[in-house]
Amino acid sequence: MRHGRKSKTKRFDGYKRHVSIANGLILGTAVEPANVSEYVPTPRLLSAAQRHGKIEVLDIDRGYLPSPAVEQLHREGVTVHSRAWRMNRYLGLFTKEDFQIDLRRQRVVCPAGKIARILASSIAWFSADDCARCLAKPRCTTAERRSIYIHRQEDLLLQLRRRRHTPVGRAELRKRVAVEHRLARIGAIQGRRARYRGARKNELDLNRAAALANLHVLAGLRTAA
C-alpha cells in the first residue's frame, strides 16, 4: 500500500488518478502510486493532449507546476494558469510576496526599500547593516539578515500571483473545475477502490472509465442538438 498526502491532515492511500481534458473530453489518463509526486505523469498527459492539437492555454493544478514539461511550454509562449504555491506567514513575518522581485534588473526590493542583488546561487542577501537599522526587522526576520530565494520558475510564479489579483485571472482559475467534474464522473463509474494490483492495470481500467465518461458527454451534446 502506498500513502500520499494532500495536506498535513489529509492522507490518501493506494493510487492517484490523473486526467487531461479539452472541451469537456478526457484526452489523456495516468495512474501513479499515492507516494509519487503529483507532477511526475505531466509529460504523458501533455503528450496525449498534443496528439489532438497544439496547446495554447494550460489550466493546471499547482501540484503539476514543478514539471519541466510545464516550464518548457511556458518558455514556448503557452499561457499557463494555475494557483501559485502558498506563502505561509511564519510567526507573522513578511513573506516573499511582500518583496518586489525584479528579474530584469536581477534585484529584490524589501518592504523598507532596501535593495539586494540576486546572486548566481539564486539567493538575494540583504545587508546585515541595513537589517540591523531597519525598524521593520521584527516583522521581517529573526535572523541577522533577510534572504530571498529565487525559484527557477520565478518569472512564471510572478505572473501567476499577479493574475490571481485580477478579475480575469480569477475567472480563468475557475475553469479548472471542469477537471474535477470529469474526475467525479470517473469516480461514479470506476468507484473509489482499485480493482487490480499494479499501476499499469489500474490505468487500463481508468482508460475504460474515461471512455465511458466521454460517451456520456457526447450523448449529452447529441441530446442538446
Side-chain angles (χ1 to χ4, degrees), residues 191-205:
R192 296 178 55 86
R193 295 178 63 86
R195 294 169 181 247
Y196 307 101
R197 291 182 181 272
R200 180 175 176 273
K201 288 184 178 180
N202 282 298
E203 186 168 322
L204 290 173
D205 190 51

Side-chain angles (χ1 to χ4, degrees), residues 22-26 182 213-225:
N23 300 318
L25 295 174
I26 300 171
R182 297 281 73 76
N214 284 342
L215 288 175
H216 279 289
V217 174
L218 294 175
L221 293 175
R222 292 185 62 184
T223 302

Side-chain angles (χ1 to χ4, degrees), residues 66 122 157:
S122 298
L157 297 175

Side-chain angles (χ1 to χ4, degrees), residues 66-127:
S67 172
V70 172
E71 183 177 3
Q72 180 61 33
L73 287 179
H74 170 63
R75 303 295 178 209
E76 294 173 358
V78 173
T79 302
V80 178
H81 294 288
S82 173
R83 296 185 185 277
W85 294 301
R86 292 178 180 174
M87 298 291 174
N88 294 322
R89 290 190 178 274
Y90 175 68
L91 298 178
L93 302 178
F94 292 145
T95 71
K96 190 177 182 179
E97 293 187 48
D98 295 310
F99 292 74
Q100 299 177 26
I101 301 174
D102 189 337
L103 297 178
R104 184 176 65 83
R105 297 181 181 180
Q106 288 292 289
R107 70 178 192 176
V108 179
V109 183
C110 78
K114 300 301 180 181
I115 298 175
R117 295 293 173 185
I118 300 175
L119 305 177
S121 59
S122 298
I123 299 178
W125 290 94
F126 287 88
S127 166

